Each structure stands twice: as C-alpha cells, then as structure tokens.
Amino acid sequence: MKNVKYEALRDTKKGIYYNIKDNSCIYHFHSKVEILYVLSGKKKVIINDKEKILTEDNIALSIGYDMHRYLDSPDSTQIVLNLPTDLFFNYYEHYGNMSLKDNFLTDKNEASLLKPLFYKIIENKDDLYIASGYCTVLLASLAKKLGLTESKKNDTLFLTKEILIYLEENYMNDPTLKDLADHFGFSRNYMSRIFNSKIKMNYSEYLNYLKLKHAASDIAMGKESITDISFKHGFGSLASFYRCFKECYGTSPKAMQRTQKEKKL
C-alpha cells in the first residue's frame, strides 16, 4: 500500500491540485477529473487498461473513477491538473453516466490550442469562481474531441466504477467482500477477481486505503483528535491505525497533524 500515497493526498485536496514536473504513480483512481499535458519528452500513460506513449503537446484525460497510471519518465515534464467535479457546470448531468471513447488527444495542433487553459486554471486556482469557467471549457473541449459514450451496465468497467462509488459511500460500515458480492448480486470470487484485475489490489487493501484517505483528510482539517479519527474511520485500535497510516503515507498521523498546524500558522 505504500505507493497509494500519491492518489490519497490528491483526493483529500479540497480545491485545485496541480503539478509541473515528471508525474508518476501506481494504478489509481479517484472521484476527480485529472488532466495531464506533456510539455517535453515522452510519457507512458495507462488509463482503464489502455496504454499510450505520449509526446510533447499530447493530453491524457481521466474522468471520475477512471483508473490510471503514469510511469516514470525522468526526461519528461508534464502539467497535471486534479480538479474536483464541483468546479464543472452540471458535471454529473453531462458526464456522470458517460465514458470517454478515447482518453488521449495526440493531435498536437488541437492540444496546443488548449494549453493556455491549463495555465489560466493554475493562475486562478485560488479564485474558484473564475477557475471553474476555465475548467468547464477545458473539459467540454476535450470531451468533444475525444468523444463520449453511455456506460453499459453489463460492462466490467461500469461495474468497477459502481463498486468504487458504493464503497466510497459505505466504507465506514466496514463491509466484507461477501457483503459487497451480495449487494451487487455476484459471487465472492468474481468480486475478488474484479479487485485483482481492475483495481490492482485486493479487497482488504483497498478498503484499508479508503479508510486512510478519509482519515488523512480529517487530520488535515485539524478539528478532531487522532483517536477519534481512527475509530470514526473503522480502525479497531489506535496501534493498527498508526501502523497502516505510516505504511501508506511514510509518516505518522501525529507528524502529519503537526505539519498541517505549522502550515496554518
């Protein structure tokens, strides 16, 4: 679980997250929209099992719960925007039940026309009213160029996204794999295969990760004690919470809490 840090930290951010460097991460997913623009070099990107080597002035787009991975590319630089869905005008009405026909814009001329929007979003990241306009235009432009299709309910990808959304809403109830299988009407073994083949971790690892992600968000808010946060998010003991947290984030809950307090001073 140590490599989950990248995704977990991004998904706990309440506003716009951006990075300009060589971005790399394990296969991960979140509720936000993530857009990568290659500024230089070559970048290998995987989205929902589709693999592409992107070059300068190429774009990769992941919408809510698309599973994606960026491989190390030391000679490449990219802009990555991680954008909450509430920044977009009527996001769920336009994209909630849709999938992209393609996740990669490789036409350099078309991509370069959208490049200024990335910088406008970064420039206005602290003024979400203005930034939301640029975000909506950028996503709408990309969706038009890449194409949208209605998600099929019998599709494995659709089921995977439904599972992730269900767990996001119910993780604190500590559902077992059997509970999940019964809810969706599949066997326990089938559910296990979904996690191993599509989510790239087993069920218990993912459920643990989900608890940690929300716990980290609460620690960043600084309104509750670490003990309360631990039990609120389903950990049976403070010791197990500390152990799992350190494994995921590389630091202790107390150290993260202290860092957050220092930032607010």
Side-chain angles (χ1 to χ4, degrees):
M1 287 247 313
K2 62 182 178 180
N3 291 323
V4 173
K5 178 180 178 182
Y6 171 99
E7 191 283 329
L9 286 179
R10 287 192 177 189
D11 215 23
T12 57
K13 296 282 186 179
K14 300 301 181 184
I16 293 171
Y17 176 95
Y18 78 95
N19 222 330
I20 304 177
K21 62 174 188 177
D22 177 40
N23 290 268
S24 62
C25 60
I26 63 164
Y27 213 50
H28 74 284
F29 36 84
H30 42 66
S31 60
K32 299 183 180 183
V33 172
E34 190 158 299
I35 312 174
L36 178 146
Y37 191 106
V38 180
L39 297 172
S40 64
K42 295 181 179 180
K43 186 67 178 175
K44 189 174 184 180
V45 177
I46 304 171
I47 303 178
N48 296 329
D49 294 329
K50 293 182 286 186
E51 187 175 305
K52 197 84 170 179
I53 295 177
L54 302 180
T55 58
E56 185 176 341
D57 294 324
N58 286 179
I59 297 174
L61 170 63
S62 303
I63 57 177
Y65 294 98
D66 277 345
M67 289 161 286
H68 48 291
R69 178 185 181 190
Y70 308 145
L71 280 74
D72 285 323
S73 307
D75 297 324
S76 177
T77 304
Q78 315 92 41
I79 301 174
V80 168
L81 296 176
N82 189 259
L83 308 168
T85 54
D86 58 9
L87 281 176
F88 303 93
F89 179 71
N90 288 346
Y91 176 85
Y92 287 102
E93 179 183 331
H94 295 296
Y95 308 105
N97 195 36
M98 306 299 285
S99 299
L100 292 165
K101 292 181 179 178
D102 193 359
N103 296 89
F104 307 105
L105 181 62
T106 55
D107 185 308
K108 294 179 181 293
N109 291 328
E110 290 188 346
S112 61
L113 290 174
L114 298 176
K115 187 176 180 179
L117 290 172
F118 285 77
Y119 290 105
K120 284 293 185 182
I121 291 168
I122 293 169
E123 180 185 329
N124 292 282
K125 67 181 179 65
D126 296 321
D127 188 336
L128 297 183
Y129 182 78
I130 294 176
S132 66
Y134 290 118
C135 290
T136 298
V137 171
L138 178 57
L139 180 57
S141 300
L142 284 169
K144 183 177 181 180
K145 295 176 188 301
L146 298 173
L148 290 168
T149 183
E150 190 170 353
S151 299
K152 298 177 182 178
K153 293 191 176 182
N154 60 348
D155 181 77
T156 304
L157 178 59
F158 179 86
L159 174 61
T160 304
K161 290 183 179 183
E162 289 293 297
I163 290 169
L164 298 181
I165 292 169
Y166 174 81
L167 288 175
E168 186 73 30
E169 295 171 348
N170 294 280
Y171 75 94
M172 280 193 289
N173 298 325
D174 210 22
T176 64
L177 186 58
K178 185 179 183 303
D179 293 334
L180 192 67
D182 290 345
H183 177 82
F184 285 98
F186 293 97
S187 72
R188 186 178 179 279
N189 286 340
Y190 184 73
M191 284 287 118
S192 182
R193 288 199 300 272
I194 289 285
F195 276 87
N196 290 325
S197 66
K198 295 297 181 184
I199 301 176
K200 310 299 183 185
M201 63 176 75
N202 66 42
Y203 177 70
S204 61
E205 285 177 332
Y206 178 69
L207 190 61
N208 227 28
Y209 143 75
L210 205 53
K211 294 174 182 179
L212 289 167
K213 180 188 76 170
H214 287 282
S217 180
D218 281 349
I219 288 173
M221 294 289 288
K223 295 180 180 179
E224 300 171 85
S225 72
I226 288 175
T227 301
D228 288 343
I229 290 170
S230 169
F231 289 107
K232 171 184 175 181
H233 294 290
F235 287 91
S237 71
L238 200 57
S240 66
F241 176 57
Y242 265 78
R243 184 180 64 255
C244 293
F245 197 95
K246 182 71 178 289
E247 182 183 346
C248 180
Y249 289 100
T251 189
S252 70
K254 201 75 177 175
M256 180 180 279
Q257 186 182 59
R258 187 165 53 248
T259 300
Q260 293 298 326
K261 285 180 179 178
E262 289 170 356
K263 286 180 179 179
K264 293 176 181 178
L265 293 177

